[in-house]
Amino acid sequence: MALGILLLLFIGMSVVSGLGILFLFLMKDHKKRKPILYFLVVWGMLIAFISARSLPINFIMEQVIVWGIGVISVIALFIYLRAKTKFQYYISYILVTGSVVIGVLKLFRLI
């Protein structure tokens, strides 16, 4: 029973993450990308929170690594807010994408 719930959670989080990333890169309008990026930053931090809380209390190094993955999405937000060129915007998109993907994989212990 519990493994079925975990499978549904994994599928749900993967679909939400995949669609968010897909929309982030396929949207043409810059103004429509902004709320998607904000959502993905919050999503990345939520994944980091869930992942850190799911670890035992004595796995301190793993918790630091997971929070570091979540902080990458916040760094992406700061880069996005300070960006002046298209290259800087794409760097922030790539950072938030990496944070979400690695966070989901780390949450379910796939890496």
Side-chain angles (χ1 to χ4, degrees):
M1 179 75 170
L3 288 177
I5 294 171
L6 281 176
L7 178 67
L8 291 176
L9 181 68
F10 176 69
I11 291 171
M13 290 180 81
S14 298
V15 167
V16 169
S17 299
L19 286 176
I21 291 167
L22 190 69
F23 288 144
L24 182 68
F25 283 105
L26 292 182
M27 287 281 178
K28 297 287 184 189
D29 189 15
H30 178 69
K31 292 185 188 236
K32 291 182 182 176
R33 285 183 178 181
K34 195 175 200 177
I36 295 171
L37 181 85
Y38 290 157
F39 168 75
L40 286 175
V41 167
V42 172
W43 186 248
M45 285 305 296
L46 181 67
I47 291 170
F49 173 76
I50 292 170
S51 186
R53 297 291 297 162
S54 70
L55 291 169
I57 198 162
N58 60 344
F59 283 25
I60 296 171
M61 195 61 197
E62 283 290 319
Q63 289 179 358
V64 169
I65 291 170
V66 168
W67 280 115
I69 294 169
V71 167
I72 291 173
S73 65
V74 176
I75 292 170
L77 179 64
F78 286 132
I79 292 173
Y80 181 82
L81 293 175
R82 300 287 181 204
K84 293 183 179 18
T85 65
K86 205 174 208 182
F87 178 73
Q88 292 171 334
Y89 285 120
Y90 280 114
I91 291 294
S92 66
Y93 299 156
I94 290 169
L95 283 176
V96 79
T97 298
S99 173
V100 169
V101 168
I102 294 172
V104 169
L105 293 176
K106 192 81 170 147
L107 175 63
F108 291 100
R109 309 294 186 265
L110 298 176
I111 59 168

